[in-house]
Amino acid sequence: MNQEDLTKWEINGTTLVLDIDDIGDLERYERAFQQMGEAAKQIPKDGTASEITKAYCKTFYDMYDCIFGSGTAEKIHQKRYSARECETVYASFLAFVSAQREARDAARAQIARYLPQNRAQRRRQK
């Protein structure tokens, strides 16, 4: 799989692009998760099940809209305010980002072998 393929997330008939090695994308990603953490604290602990579910799903919707742009959440969810679907889409998103991180880490490990400090260390060890 080439690097371009790793930056494309296909979900429910929609293709979205996110490159966690691009600083702009990474900043939006970090900001979205920070906001999601704050929003999760605001989910009511009591109230009707529908109110709690709606607040829970909204944390996910807002995260996708922050990362990919307004209206994204509506495009990638087939059911509005379905906790099960939110969790399924979120699991797919986490797998997508994880694959990018693994590829990046593997590439960096390969490059690290040839960095000047590592070459000097290898020479000292011989």
Side-chain angles (χ1 to χ4, degrees), residues 31-116:
R31 185 173 43 254
F33 272 89
Q34 182 179 16
Q35 290 173 359
M36 186 182 191
E38 292 301 315
K41 294 175 188 174
Q42 304 303 316
I43 296 173
K45 305 286 187 254
D46 50 3
T48 65
S50 62
E51 291 171 336
I52 294 169
T53 300
K54 187 172 185 177
Y56 175 73
C57 290
K58 189 167 178 356
T59 63
F60 293 101
Y61 298 163
D62 290 347
M63 182 208 44
Y64 298 122
D65 286 352
C66 182
I67 295 171
F68 298 107
S70 182
T72 300
E74 290 179 19
K75 291 179 191 174
I76 63 174
H77 288 88
Q78 297 173 331
K79 293 181 179 180
R80 190 80 172 140
Y81 296 109
S82 165
R84 182 179 308 118
E85 184 175 11
C86 285
E87 291 163 355
T88 300
V89 170
Y90 187 60
S92 172
F93 178 69
L94 293 178
F96 160 69
V97 172
S98 180
Q100 279 192 54
R101 283 190 176 135
E102 289 172 11
R104 178 196 59 205
D105 292 348
R108 285 184 181 167
Q110 188 70 18
I111 292 169
R113 295 178 29 200
Y114 301 102
L115 292 175

Coordinates of all heavy atoms in Angstrom, one line a residue, residues 31-116:
R31 N -6.6 19.1 18.0 CA -7.7 20.0 18.5 C -9.0 19.3 18.7 O -9.7 19.5 19.7 CB -7.8 21.3 17.6 CG -8.7 22.3 18.1 CD -8.7 23.6 17.3 NE -8.7 23.4 15.8 CZ -7.6 23.6 15.0 NH1 -6.5 24.0 15.6 NH2 -7.7 23.4 13.7
A32 N -9.3 18.5 17.7 CA -10.6 17.8 17.7 C -10.7 16.8 18.9 O -11.7 16.7 19.5 CB -10.8 17.0 16.4
F33 N -9.6 16.1 19.2 CA -9.6 15.2 20.3 C -9.6 15.9 21.6 O -10.2 15.5 22.6 CB -8.4 14.2 20.2 CG -8.8 13.0 19.4 CD1 -8.6 13.0 18.0 CD2 -9.4 11.9 20.0 CE1 -9.0 11.9 17.2 CE2 -9.8 10.8 19.2 CZ -9.6 10.8 17.9
Q34 N -9.0 17.1 21.7 CA -9.0 17.9 22.9 C -10.5 18.3 23.2 O -11.0 18.2 24.3 CB -8.1 19.1 22.8 CG -8.1 19.9 24.1 CD -7.1 21.1 23.9 OE1 -6.7 21.5 22.8 NE2 -6.8 21.7 25.1
Q35 N -11.1 18.8 22.1 CA -12.5 19.3 22.2 C -13.4 18.1 22.6 O -14.4 18.2 23.3 CB -13.0 20.0 20.9 CG -12.3 21.3 20.7 CD -12.6 21.9 19.3 OE1 -13.3 21.3 18.5 NE2 -12.1 23.1 19.1
M36 N -13.1 16.9 22.0 CA -13.9 15.8 22.2 C -13.9 15.4 23.7 O -14.8 15.0 24.3 CB -13.5 14.6 21.3 CG -14.4 13.4 21.4 SD -13.7 12.1 20.4 CE -15.1 10.9 20.4
G37 N -12.7 15.4 24.3 CA -12.5 15.1 25.7 C -13.3 16.1 26.6 O -13.9 15.6 27.6
E38 N -13.3 17.3 26.2 CA -14.0 18.3 27.0 C -15.5 18.1 26.9 O -16.3 18.1 27.8 CB -13.7 19.7 26.6 CG -12.2 20.2 26.9 CD -12.0 20.1 28.4 OE1 -12.8 20.6 29.2 OE2 -10.9 19.6 28.8
A39 N -16.0 17.8 25.7 CA -17.4 17.5 25.4 C -17.9 16.3 26.1 O -19.0 16.2 26.6 CB -17.7 17.4 23.9
A40 N -17.0 15.3 26.2 CA -17.4 14.0 26.9 C -17.6 14.2 28.3 O -18.5 13.6 28.9 CB -16.3 13.0 26.7
K41 N -17.0 15.2 28.9 CA -17.2 15.5 30.3 C -18.6 16.2 30.5 O -19.1 16.1 31.6 CB -16.1 16.5 30.9 CG -14.7 15.9 30.9 CD -13.7 17.0 31.3 CE -12.3 16.5 31.2 NZ -11.3 17.5 31.4
Q42 N -19.1 16.7 29.5 CA -20.4 17.4 29.6 C -21.6 16.5 29.3 O -22.8 16.9 29.4 CB -20.4 18.6 28.6 CG -19.3 19.6 28.8 CD -19.3 20.2 30.2 OE1 -20.3 20.5 30.7 NE2 -18.1 20.2 30.8
I43 N -21.3 15.2 28.9 CA -22.4 14.3 28.6 C -23.2 14.1 29.9 O -22.6 13.8 31.0 CB -21.9 13.0 28.1 CG1 -21.3 13.2 26.7 CG2 -23.1 11.9 28.0 CD1 -20.6 12.0 26.1
P44 N -24.5 14.3 29.9 CA -25.3 14.2 31.2 C -25.2 12.7 31.7 O -25.2 11.8 31.0 CB -26.7 14.5 30.8 CG -26.7 14.5 29.3 CD -25.4 14.6 28.8
K45 N -25.1 12.7 33.0 CA -25.0 11.4 33.7 C -26.4 10.8 34.0 O -26.7 9.7 34.2 CB -24.3 11.5 35.0 CG -22.9 12.0 34.9 CD -21.9 11.0 34.2 CE -20.5 11.5 34.3 NZ -20.0 11.9 33.0
D46 N -27.4 11.8 34.1 CA -28.8 11.4 34.3 C -29.6 12.1 33.3 O -29.1 13.0 32.5 CB -29.2 11.7 35.7 CG -28.9 13.1 36.1 OD1 -28.4 13.9 35.3 OD2 -29.2 13.5 37.3
G47 N -30.8 11.7 33.2 CA -31.7 12.3 32.1 C -32.3 11.1 31.3 O -32.0 10.0 31.7
T48 N -32.9 11.4 30.3 CA -33.5 10.4 29.4 C -32.4 9.7 28.6 O -31.3 10.3 28.4 CB -34.5 10.9 28.5 OG1 -33.9 11.8 27.5 CG2 -35.7 11.6 29.2
A49 N -32.6 8.5 28.3 CA -31.6 7.7 27.5 C -31.4 8.4 26.1 O -30.2 8.5 25.6 CB -32.1 6.3 27.2
S50 N -32.4 9.0 25.6 CA -32.3 9.7 24.3 C -31.4 10.9 24.4 O -30.6 11.2 23.5 CB -33.6 10.0 23.7 OG -34.4 10.9 24.5
E51 N -31.5 11.7 25.5 CA -30.7 12.9 25.7 C -29.2 12.5 25.9 O -28.3 13.1 25.3 CB -31.2 13.6 27.0 CG -32.5 14.3 26.9 CD -33.0 14.8 28.2 OE1 -32.6 14.3 29.3 OE2 -33.8 15.8 28.1
I52 N -29.0 11.4 26.6 CA -27.6 11.0 26.9 C -27.0 10.5 25.5 O -25.9 10.8 25.2 CB -27.6 9.9 27.9 CG1 -28.0 10.5 29.3 CG2 -26.2 9.2 28.0 CD1 -28.3 9.5 30.4
T53 N -27.8 9.7 24.8 CA -27.3 9.2 23.5 C -27.0 10.3 22.5 O -26.0 10.3 21.8 CB -28.3 8.2 22.9 OG1 -28.5 7.1 23.8 CG2 -27.8 7.6 21.6
K54 N -27.9 11.3 22.5 CA -27.7 12.4 21.6 C -26.4 13.2 21.9 O -25.6 13.5 21.0 CB -28.9 13.3 21.6 CG -28.8 14.4 20.5 CD -30.1 15.2 20.5 CE -30.1 16.2 19.3 NZ -31.3 16.9 19.2
A55 N -26.2 13.4 23.2 CA -25.0 14.1 23.6 C -23.7 13.3 23.3 O -22.7 13.8 22.9 CB -25.1 14.5 25.1
Y56 N -23.8 12.0 23.6 CA -22.7 11.1 23.3 C -22.3 11.1 21.8 O -21.2 11.3 21.4 CB -23.1 9.7 23.7 CG -22.2 8.6 23.4 CD1 -21.0 8.4 24.1 CD2 -22.4 7.6 22.5 CE1 -20.1 7.4 23.9 CE2 -21.6 6.6 22.2 CZ -20.4 6.5 22.9 OH -19.5 5.4 22.6
C57 N -23.3 11.0 20.9 CA -23.1 11.0 19.5 C -22.6 12.3 19.0 O -21.7 12.4 18.2 CB -24.4 10.6 18.7 SG -24.9 8.9 18.9
K58 N -23.0 13.4 19.6 CA -22.6 14.7 19.2 C -21.1 14.9 19.4 O -20.5 15.6 18.7 CB -23.4 15.8 20.0 CG -23.2 17.2 19.4 CD -24.1 18.2 20.0 CE -23.9 19.6 19.5 NZ -22.8 19.9 18.8
T59 N -20.6 14.3 20.4 CA -19.1 14.4 20.7 C -18.3 13.8 19.5 O -17.3 14.4 19.0 CB -18.6 13.7 21.9 OG1 -18.9 12.3 21.9 CG2 -19.3 14.2 23.2
F60 N -18.8 12.7 18.9 CA -18.2 12.2 17.7 C -18.4 13.0 16.5 O -17.5 13.3 15.7 CB -18.7 10.7 17.4 CG -18.4 9.7 18.5 CD1 -19.3 9.4 19.4 CD2 -17.1 9.2 18.5 CE1 -18.9 8.4 20.4 CE2 -16.7 8.2 19.4 CZ -17.7 7.9 20.4
Y61 N -19.7 13.5 16.3 CA -20.0 14.3 15.1 C -19.1 15.6 15.1 O -18.6 15.9 14.1 CB -21.5 14.7 15.1 CG -22.4 13.5 15.0 CD1 -23.8 13.7 15.4 CD2 -22.0 12.3 14.6 CE1 -24.7 12.7 15.3 CE2 -22.9 11.2 14.5 CZ -24.3 11.4 14.8 OH -25.2 10.4 14.8
D62 N -19.0 16.2 16.3 CA -18.2 17.4 16.3 C -16.7 17.2 16.0 O -16.1 18.0 15.4 CB -18.4 18.1 17.7 CG -19.7 18.7 17.9 OD1 -20.5 18.8 16.9 OD2 -20.1 19.0 19.1
M63 N -16.2 16.0 16.5 CA -14.8 15.7 16.2 C -14.6 15.5 14.7 O -13.6 16.1 14.2 CB -14.5 14.3 16.9 CG -13.0 14.0 16.6 SD -12.6 12.2 16.7 CE -13.8 11.4 15.7
Y64 N -15.5 14.8 14.0 CA -15.3 14.6 12.5 C -15.4 16.0 11.8 O -14.6 16.2 10.9 CB -16.3 13.6 11.9 CG -16.1 12.2 12.5 CD1 -17.2 11.6 13.2 CD2 -14.9 11.6 12.4 CE1 -17.0 10.4 13.7 CE2 -14.8 10.3 13.0 CZ -15.8 9.7 13.6 OH -15.7 8.4 14.1
D65 N -16.4 16.8 12.2 CA -16.5 18.1 11.6 C -15.3 19.0 11.8 O -14.9 19.8 11.0 CB -17.8 18.8 12.1 CG -19.1 18.2 11.5 OD1 -19.0 17.3 10.6 OD2 -20.2 18.6 12.0
C66 N -14.7 18.9 13.0 CA -13.5 19.7 13.3 C -12.3 19.2 12.4 O -11.6 20.1 11.9 CB -13.2 19.6 14.8 SG -11.7 20.5 15.3
I67 N -12.2 18.0 12.2 CA -11.0 17.4 11.5 C -11.3 17.6 10.0 O -10.4 18.1 9.3 CB -10.8 15.9 11.8 CG1 -10.4 15.7 13.2 CG2 -9.8 15.3 10.8 CD1 -10.3 14.3 13.7
F68 N -12.4 17.2 9.5 CA -12.6 17.2 8.0 C -13.5 18.3 7.5 O -13.6 18.4 6.3 CB -13.3 15.8 7.7 CG -12.4 14.6 8.0 CD1 -12.8 13.8 9.1 CD2 -11.3 14.3 7.3 CE1 -12.0 12.7 9.4 CE2 -10.5 13.2 7.6 CZ -10.9 12.4 8.6
G69 N -14.1 19.1 8.3 CA -15.0 20.2 7.8 C -16.4 19.9 8.2 O -16.9 18.8 8.4
S70 N -17.1 21.1 8.3 CA -18.5 21.1 8.6 C -19.4 20.2 7.7 O -19.2 20.2 6.5 CB -19.1 22.5 8.6 OG -20.4 22.5 9.0
G71 N -20.3 19.4 8.3 CA -21.1 18.5 7.5 C -20.6 17.1 7.3 O -21.3 16.3 6.8
T72 N -19.3 16.9 7.7 CA -18.7 15.6 7.4 C -19.5 14.5 8.2 O -19.7 13.4 7.7 CB -17.3 15.6 7.8 OG1 -16.6 16.5 7.0 CG2 -16.6 14.2 7.6
A73 N -19.8 14.8 9.5 CA -20.5 13.7 10.3 C -21.7 13.2 9.7 O -22.0 12.0 9.7 CB -20.7 14.3 11.7
E74 N -22.5 14.2 9.1 CA -23.8 13.7 8.4 C -23.5 12.9 7.2 O -24.3 12.0 6.9 CB -24.6 15.0 8.0 CG -25.1 15.7 9.2 CD -25.9 17.0 8.8 OE1 -26.3 17.0 7.6 OE2 -26.1 17.8 9.7
K75 N -22.4 13.1 6.5 CA -22.1 12.3 5.3 C -21.7 10.9 5.7 O -21.9 9.9 4.9 CB -20.9 13.0 4.5 CG -21.3 14.2 3.9 CD -20.0 14.8 3.2 CE -20.2 16.2 2.7 NZ -19.0 16.8 2.1
I76 N -20.9 10.7 6.8 CA -20.4 9.4 7.1 C -21.2 8.5 8.0 O -20.9 7.4 8.2 CB -18.9 9.5 7.7 CG1 -18.9 10.3 9.0 CG2 -18.0 10.2 6.7 CD1 -17.6 10.3 9.7
H77 N -22.3 9.1 8.5 CA -23.2 8.3 9.4 C -24.5 8.1 8.6 O -25.1 9.1 8.2 CB -23.5 9.0 10.7 CG -22.3 9.0 11.6 ND1 -21.4 10.0 11.6 CD2 -22.0 8.2 12.6 CE1 -20.4 9.7 12.5 NE2 -20.8 8.6 13.1
Q78 N -24.9 6.9 8.5 CA -26.1 6.5 7.8 C -27.4 6.7 8.7 O -28.4 7.1 8.2 CB -26.1 5.1 7.3 CG -24.9 5.0 6.3 CD -24.7 3.5 5.8 OE1 -25.0 2.6 6.6 NE2 -24.2 3.4 4.6
K79 N -27.2 6.6 10.0 CA -28.3 6.8 10.9 C -27.9 8.0 11.8 O -26.8 8.1 12.3 CB -28.5 5.5 11.8 CG -29.0 4.3 11.1 CD -29.1 3.2 12.1 CE -29.6 1.9 11.5 NZ -29.8 0.9 12.5
R80 N -28.8 8.8 12.0 CA -28.6 10.0 12.9 C -28.7 9.6 14.3 O -29.8 9.0 14.7 CB -29.6 11.1 12.5 CG -29.3 12.4 13.1 CD -28.3 13.1 12.3 NE -28.2 14.5 12.9 CZ -27.0 15.1 13.0 NH1 -25.9 14.5 12.7 NH2 -27.0 16.3 13.5
Y81 N -27.8 9.9 15.1 CA -27.7 9.6 16.6 C -27.9 8.2 16.9 O -28.7 7.8 17.8 CB -28.8 10.5 17.3 CG -28.4 12.0 17.2 CD1 -29.2 12.8 16.4 CD2 -27.3 12.5 17.8 CE1 -28.8 14.2 16.3 CE2 -27.0 13.8 17.7 CZ -27.7 14.7 16.9 OH -27.4 16.0 16.8
S82 N -27.2 7.3 16.3 CA -27.1 5.9 16.7 C -25.8 5.6 17.4 O -24.7 5.7 16.7 CB -27.2 5.0 15.4 OG -26.8 3.7 15.7
A83 N -25.9 5.3 18.7 CA -24.6 5.1 19.4 C -23.8 3.9 18.8 O -22.6 4.0 18.7 CB -25.0 4.8 20.9
R84 N -24.5 2.9 18.4 CA -23.8 1.7 17.8 C -23.0 2.2 16.5 O -21.9 1.8 16.3 CB -24.8 0.6 17.5 CG -24.1 -0.6 16.9 CD -25.0 -1.8 16.6 NE -25.8 -2.1 17.7 CZ -27.2 -2.0 17.7 NH1 -27.8 -1.6 16.6 NH2 -27.9 -2.4 18.8
E85 N -23.7 2.9 15.7 CA -23.0 3.4 14.5 C -21.9 4.3 14.8 O -20.8 4.2 14.1 CB -24.0 4.0 13.5 CG -23.3 4.4 12.2 CD -24.2 4.9 11.1 OE1 -25.4 5.3 11.4 OE2 -23.7 5.0 10.0
C86 N -22.1 5.2 15.7 CA -21.0 6.1 16.1 C -19.8 5.3 16.5 O -18.6 5.7 16.2 CB -21.4 7.0 17.3 SG -22.5 8.3 16.8
E87 N -20.0 4.3 17.3 CA -18.8 3.4 17.8 C -18.2 2.7 16.6 O -17.0 2.5 16.6 CB -19.3 2.5 18.9 CG -19.7 3.3 20.1 CD -20.5 2.6 21.2 OE1 -20.9 1.4 20.9 OE2 -20.8 3.2 22.2
T88 N -19.0 2.2 15.7 CA -18.5 1.5 14.5 C -17.6 2.4 13.6 O -16.5 2.0 13.2 CB -19.6 0.8 13.7 OG1 -20.3 -0.1 14.6 CG2 -19.1 0.1 12.5
V89 N -18.2 3.6 13.4 CA -17.4 4.5 12.5 C -16.1 5.0 13.3 O -15.1 5.1 12.7 CB -18.3 5.8 12.2 CG1 -17.5 6.9 11.6 CG2 -19.5 5.3 11.3
Y90 N -16.2 5.2 14.6 CA -15.1 5.6 15.3 C -14.0 4.5 15.3 O -12.8 4.8 15.2 CB -15.5 5.9 16.8 CG -14.4 6.5 17.6 CD1 -13.8 7.7 17.3 CD2 -14.0 5.9 18.8 CE1 -12.8 8.3 18.1 CE2 -13.1 6.5 19.6 CZ -12.5 7.7 19.3 OH -11.5 8.2 20.1
A91 N -14.4 3.3 15.5 CA -13.4 2.2 15.4 C -12.7 2.1 14.1 O -11.5 1.9 14.0 CB -14.1 0.8 15.7
S92 N -13.5 2.4 13.0 CA -12.9 2.4 11.7 C -11.9 3.6 11.6 O -10.8 3.4 11.0 CB -14.0 2.6 10.6 OG -13.4 2.8 9.3
F93 N -12.2 4.7 12.1 CA -11.4 5.9 12.1 C -10.1 5.6 12.9 O -9.0 6.0 12.4 CB -12.1 7.1 12.7 CG -11.2 8.4 12.7 CD1 -10.9 9.0 11.6 CD2 -10.8 8.9 13.9 CE1 -10.1 10.1 11.6 CE2 -10.0 10.0 14.0 CZ -9.6 10.6 12.8
L94 N -10.2 5.0 14.0 CA -9.0 4.7 14.8 C -8.1 3.7 14.1 O -6.9 3.9 14.1 CB -9.4 4.2 16.2 CG -10.1 5.2 17.1 CD1 -10.5 4.5 18.4 CD2 -9.2 6.4 17.4
A95 N -8.7 2.8 13.4 CA -7.9 1.8 12.6 C -7.1 2.5 11.5 O -6.0 2.2 11.2 CB -8.7 0.7 12.1
F96 N -7.8 3.5 10.8 CA -7.3 4.3 9.8 C -6.0 5.1 10.2 O -5.0 5.0 9.6 CB -8.4 5.2 9.2 CG -7.9 6.4 8.4 CD1 -7.3 6.2 7.2 CD2 -8.1 7.6 9.0 CE1 -6.9 7.4 6.5 CE2 -7.7 8.8 8.2 CZ -7.1 8.6 7.0
V97 N -6.2 5.7 11.4 CA -5.1 6.5 11.9 C -4.0 5.6 12.4 O -2.8 5.9 12.2 CB -5.6 7.5 13.0 CG1 -4.5 8.2 13.7 CG2 -6.6 8.5 12.5
S98 N -4.3 4.5 13.0 CA -3.3 3.6 13.5 C -2.4 3.0 12.4 O -1.2 2.9 12.5 CB -4.0 2.4 14.2 OG -3.1 1.5 14.7
A99 N -3.1 2.7 11.2 CA -2.3 2.2 10.1 C -1.3 3.3 9.6 O -0.1 3.0 9.3 CB -3.2 1.9 8.9
Q100 N -1.7 4.6 9.6 CA -0.8 5.6 9.2 C 0.4 5.7 10.2 O 1.6 5.8 9.8 CB -1.5 7.0 9.2 CG -2.2 7.3 8.0 CD -2.6 8.7 7.9 OE1 -1.8 9.6 8.0 NE2 -3.9 8.9 7.7
R101 N 0.1 5.6 11.5 CA 1.2 5.7 12.5 C 2.1 4.6 12.4 O 3.3 4.7 12.5 CB 0.5 5.7 13.9 CG -0.1 7.0 14.3 CD -0.4 7.0 15.8 NE -0.9 8.3 16.1 CZ -2.0 8.5 16.9 NH1 -2.7 7.5 17.3 NH2 -2.4 9.8 17.1
E102 N 1.6 3.4 12.2 CA 2.5 2.2 12.1 C 3.4 2.3 10.9 O 4.6 2.0 10.9 CB 1.6 0.9 12.0 CG 1.0 0.5 13.3 CD 0.0 -0.6 13.1 OE1 0.0 -1.3 12.0 OE2 -0.8 -0.8 14.1
A103 N 2.9 2.8 9.7 CA 3.7 3.0 8.5 C 4.7 4.1 8.8 O 5.9 3.9 8.4 CB 2.8 3.3 7.3
R104 N 4.3 5.1 9.4 CA 5.3 6.2 9.7 C 6.4 5.7 10.6 O 7.6 6.0 10.4 CB 4.5 7.4 10.4 CG 5.5 8.5 10.7 CD 4.9 9.5 11.7 NE 4.5 8.8 12.9 CZ 3.5 9.3 13.7 NH1 2.8 10.3 13.5 NH2 3.3 8.6 14.8
D105 N 6.0 5.0 11.7 CA 7.0 4.5 12.6 C 8.0 3.6 12.0 O 9.2 3.6 12.2 CB 6.3 3.9 13.8 CG 5.6 4.9 14.7 OD1 5.8 6.1 14.5 OD2 4.8 4.4 15.6
A106 N 7.5 2.7 11.1 CA 8.3 1.8 10.4 C 9.3 2.5 9.5 O 10.5 2.2 9.4 CB 7.5 0.8 9.6
A107 N 8.8 3.5 8.8 CA 9.7 4.3 7.9 C 10.7 5.1 8.7 O 11.9 5.1 8.3 CB 8.8 5.3 7.1
R108 N 10.4 5.6 9.8 CA 11.3 6.3 10.7 C 12.4 5.4 11.2 O 13.5 5.8 11.3 CB 10.6 7.1 11.8 CG 9.9 8.3 11.2 CD 9.3 9.1 12.3 NE 8.6 10.3 11.8 CZ 7.7 11.0 12.4 NH1 7.5 10.8 13.7 NH2 7.1 12.0 11.8
A109 N 12.0 4.2 11.6 CA 12.9 3.2 12.1 C 13.9 2.9 11.0 O 15.1 2.7 11.3 CB 12.2 2.0 12.6
Q110 N 13.5 2.8 9.8 CA 14.4 2.4 8.7 C 15.4 3.6 8.5 O 16.6 3.4 8.3 CB 13.5 2.2 7.4 CG 14.3 1.7 6.3 CD 14.8 0.3 6.5 OE1 14.3 -0.5 7.3 NE2 15.8 -0.2 5.7
I111 N 14.9 4.8 8.5 CA 15.7 6.0 8.3 C 16.7 6.2 9.5 O 17.8 6.6 9.3 CB 14.9 7.2 8.1 CG1 14.1 7.1 6.7 CG2 15.7 8.5 8.1 CD1 13.0 8.2 6.5
A112 N 16.2 5.9 10.7 CA 17.0 6.1 11.9 C 18.4 5.4 11.8 O 19.4 5.8 12.4 CB 16.3 5.8 13.1
R113 N 18.4 4.2 11.1 CA 19.6 3.5 11.0 C 20.7 4.3 10.4 O 21.9 4.0 10.6 CB 19.3 2.2 10.2 CG 18.4 1.2 10.9 CD 18.1 0.0 10.1 NE 19.2 -0.4 9.2 CZ 19.0 -1.2 8.1 NH1 17.8 -1.6 7.8 NH2 20.0 -1.5 7.4
Y114 N 20.4 5.2 9.6 CA 21.4 6.0 8.8 C 21.6 7.4 9.3 O 22.3 8.1 8.6 CB 20.9 6.0 7.3 CG 20.8 4.6 6.8 CD1 19.6 4.0 6.6 CD2 21.9 3.8 6.5 CE1 19.4 2.7 6.1 CE2 21.8 2.5 6.0 CZ 20.6 2.0 5.8 OH 20.5 0.7 5.4
L115 N 21.0 7.7 10.4 CA 21.2 9.1 10.9 C 22.7 9.1 11.5 O 23.2 8.1 12.0 CB 20.2 9.4 12.0 CG 18.8 9.6 11.6 CD1 17.9 9.8 12.7 CD2 18.7 10.7 10.6
P116 N 23.3 10.3 11.4 CA 24.7 10.4 11.8 C 25.0 9.9 13.2 O 26.0 9.2 13.4 CB 25.0 11.9 11.7 CG 24.0 12.4 10.7 CD 22.8 11.5 10.9

